[in-house]
Structure formats: C-alpha cells, structure tokens
Amino acid sequence: RLFRFDPEQSTASYSVKEELAGKKMSTAVGTTSAVSGDVVVDGTDASASVLGTVVVDVHQMRSDNALRDARLQTAYLESHEYPLAEFTPDTVDGLPKEPVADKWYPVTVSGRLKVHGLTEPSTWKGKVRLQGDELEVKIDVSRRRKKT
C-alpha cells in the first residue's frame, strides 16, 4: 500500500541557536511544507516496508525574520544552487511484522543525506503508526554545523 507525503500535513524545520558578539541570544526556527516522499507498506509483513527518498525544498524554508532567511539561503545553504536536501534510506528498523492499529512504533532509519551538494551517512530516529487510512511518521534529525 502506497502512502505519499501530504504537504498539507508534512513539515521540515530547523532550529539554530543564534549568537551576537559571542553571546547566545535566541533560538531561531524555520519551517517548510515543501516535503515530498513515499512509503510503501507491505500488507503481509510491515517490517518489509520501504521508505523512498525524502526531498525537502530548503529554498522554501521560512522563519519569523526575512533577513535571517535571506542570510541562511545565500551564505549557508546557497539554495539558489542547491535548492533540495535529499535523504535516501537504506534500512528501516523497528517495524513489526504485524502492526497494531493506532500504536506507535519506534523506528531507526539509516541512509544517506545530501545537503549543499554533499552526501553523508545519516541515521534518523522517530516513530510511526498506522491510524485508519493514514500513516503518521514523526522523525527528529539533528545535524551540527561546525563553527567557522
């Protein structure tokens, strides 16, 4: 059974601690609903389900500050040249063979994350549940940027 990410209900976001003159000021948060991807759930063995490539249009990320957004897009993400972040999963661990409806299952998804033209191994932790005709997925991804 194919499930497709719904942009009305899907988001990708970032949070970053801002500093001014070396002092921590606040935490900035930016979000986009420009997220796409597919999940194929095997009806006879959910543990054999497949997550396709997840794509986020980072050029669409918006926070509460247009100047911050412009700086992020040009100085760090260079989203005019690298507009997409892509996660290509290799393994999904934690799904049972026969899931119970409305029950959350912890999962670990390992694969390759491509951001700013660079691809690195990445592991995501989260949870999933089948609720009626919807598959609900909550994943938290942490990436640290080295100070320059």
Side-chain angles (χ1 to χ4, degrees):
R1 185 166 164 200
L2 174 67
F3 292 90
R4 189 151 281 158
F5 285 39
D6 179 355
E8 300 280 322
Q9 298 182 50
S10 301
T11 59
S13 62
Y14 71 84
S15 66
V16 62
K17 293 179 181 166
E18 294 182 306
E19 293 182 6
L20 181 61
K23 295 183 180 182
K24 291 185 175 147
M25 301 299 290
S26 63
T27 300
V29 177
T31 304
T32 181
S33 61
V35 181
S36 62
D38 296 323
V39 179
V40 177
V41 176
D42 185 321
T44 58
D45 182 0
S47 64
S49 298
V50 177
L51 171 62
T53 298
V54 178
V55 180
V56 177
D57 184 345
V58 296
H59 192 68
Q60 301 294 321
M61 288 280 185
R62 298 292 179 264
S63 70
D64 62 350
N65 184 302
L67 291 174
R68 176 191 304 121
D69 296 341
R71 177 120 171 104
L72 179 72
Q73 300 297 332
T74 57
Y76 298 105
L77 293 174
E78 295 182 281
S79 61
H80 59 284
E81 189 171 342
Y82 306 102
L84 304 177
E86 301 175 359
F87 178 71
T88 303
D90 295 320
T91 62
V92 178
D93 296 316
L95 293 174
K97 183 172 181 165
E98 297 179 21
V100 175
D102 299 326
K103 179 178 178 182
W104 285 102
Y105 294 94
V107 294
T108 302
V109 184
S110 297
R112 292 154 283 136
L113 180 62
K114 182 178 179 182
V115 178
H116 198 259
L118 302 173
T119 303
E120 297 178 346
S122 186
T123 299
W124 297 6
K125 294 194 179 280
K127 58 186 180 178
V128 299
R129 75 174 168 180
L130 188 57
Q131 190 172 22
D133 290 336
E134 294 184 357
L135 180 67
E136 192 171 354
V137 180
K138 295 186 180 196
I139 299 281
D140 182 42
V141 179
S142 296
R143 283 188 41 90
R144 298 209 184 275
R145 184 179 178 277
K146 293 178 185 171
K147 290 185 178 184
T148 55

